[in-house]
Amino acid sequence: QVQLVESGGGLVRAGGSLRLSCAASRSIFSYNLMGWYRQAPGKQREVVAVISSGGSTSYVDSVKGRFTISRDNAKNTVSLQMNSLKPEDTAVYYCAALTVGSPYWGQGTQVTVSS
């Protein structure tokens, strides 16, 4: 089992940037996929970006070209650099360690983008 703690959320104006970080309580090397998800009020949680242990990445269409996911297996961290933020990016962002069973989730960090 791994515990995940997100940080870096906040309030930013449209067009601004934020960098989210996720610190894991143990090695993430064994988790092939790490990801960032988000949940806006009244909506289902959706995947934003995932990264494999080898560094392959995948993004939801709405953030392609604006967000960048990265991982540091040595430091047990996963980050999400978010640029050109839009009001529709407002949500609680969750870090996840993806397994063959249920994912491990962090507690979430709020990102609010004002217009």
Side-chain angles (χ1 to χ4, degrees):
Q1 186 173 349
V2 61
Q3 294 175 334
L4 304 170
V5 179
E6 302 96 335
S7 61
L11 173 64
V12 64
R13 290 186 177 180
S17 299
L18 283 174
R19 184 177 181 85
L20 305 183
S21 295
C22 172
S25 61
R26 49 161 291 196
S27 173
I28 63 171
F29 182 78
S30 60
Y31 296 99
N32 182 43
L33 288 178
M34 299 292 297
W36 284 95
Y37 288 66
R38 65 186 179 188
Q39 187 167 17
K43 295 187 177 181
Q44 290 190 333
R45 191 172 299 188
E46 65 170 353
V47 60
V48 176
V50 295
I51 184 168
S52 72
S53 56
S56 297
T57 58
S58 181
Y59 300 89
V60 67
D61 285 347
S62 60
V63 308
K64 284 181 179 177
R66 301 188 298 121
F67 291 11
T68 302
I69 188 171
S70 60
R71 68 190 284 172
D72 187 329
N73 291 329
K75 295 183 178 180
N76 300 322
T77 58
V78 182
S79 298
L80 185 69
Q81 178 66 43
M82 305 186 295
N83 299 327
S84 302
L85 283 161
K86 304 176 181 180
E88 51 264 43
D89 294 319
T90 295
V92 178
Y93 283 71
Y94 298 90
C95 178
L98 304 176
T99 73
V100 294
S102 299
Y104 294 108
W105 298 102
Q107 84 288 350
T109 185
Q110 176 71 47
V111 171
T112 303
V113 184
S114 64
S115 57

